[in-house]
């Protein structure tokens, strides 16, 4: 985490707000059902610019998938958005 903060100080960019992060994650919903699979969430983190989107998706599932169904629903998505927003993704 500390390494990312150093990166953000040295690289110019505007931090994405929670609405923007949510929008980018939802764009990865390839079948349009409003529920994100692990693969879709991985693609969402890839679109945000994650260096290791597979790791980020796994962490997000550990944090947010309360019912353990292997999908992120609308309620669980709010936790994913909070997690992703805290990672400091930027618009460059």
């Amino acid at each position: 985490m500390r390494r990312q903060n150093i990166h953000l100080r040295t690289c110019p960019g505007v931090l994405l707000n929670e609405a923007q992060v949510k929008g980018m994650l939802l764009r990865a919903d390839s079948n349009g059902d409003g529920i994100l699979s692990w693969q879709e969430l991985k693609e969402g983190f890839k679109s945000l610019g994650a260096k290791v989107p597979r790791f980020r998706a796994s962490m997000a599932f550990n944090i947010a998938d309360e019912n353990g169904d292997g999908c992120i629903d609308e309620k669980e998505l709010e936790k994913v958005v909070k997690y992703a927003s805290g990672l400091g993704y930027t618009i460059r």
Side-chain angles (χ1 to χ4, degrees):
M1 192 72 126
R2 182 173 288 261
R3 178 173 260 178
Q4 277 190 322
N5 289 338
I6 291 169
H7 175 74
L8 289 175
R9 281 189 230 127
T10 58
C11 295
V14 177
L15 287 175
L16 293 168
N17 63 38
E18 287 186 8
Q20 291 167 318
V21 168
K22 184 176 182 176
M24 291 185 77
L25 291 172
L26 286 174
R27 277 189 225 142
D29 181 13
S30 60
N31 62 1
D33 64 357
I35 297 172
L36 295 175
S37 67
W38 186 87
Q39 183 64 35
E40 290 170 331
L41 191 59
K42 184 181 96 167
E43 290 302 316
F45 275 103
K46 187 176 180 180
S47 73
L48 286 169
K51 291 184 180 179
V52 187
R54 181 181 185 141
F55 173 75
R56 292 297 175 203
S58 293
M59 290 297 294
F61 263 92
N62 288 337
I63 291 166
D65 188 17
E66 293 175 355
N67 59 10
D69 66 352
C71 296
I72 300 296
D73 61 30
E74 188 175 337
K75 178 184 171 194
E76 295 167 334
L77 182 61
E78 295 307 316
K79 288 185 178 186
V80 174
V81 169
K82 292 274 186 206
Y83 165 69
S85 295
L87 296 172
Y89 294 112
T90 61
I91 301 169
R92 296 179 201 246

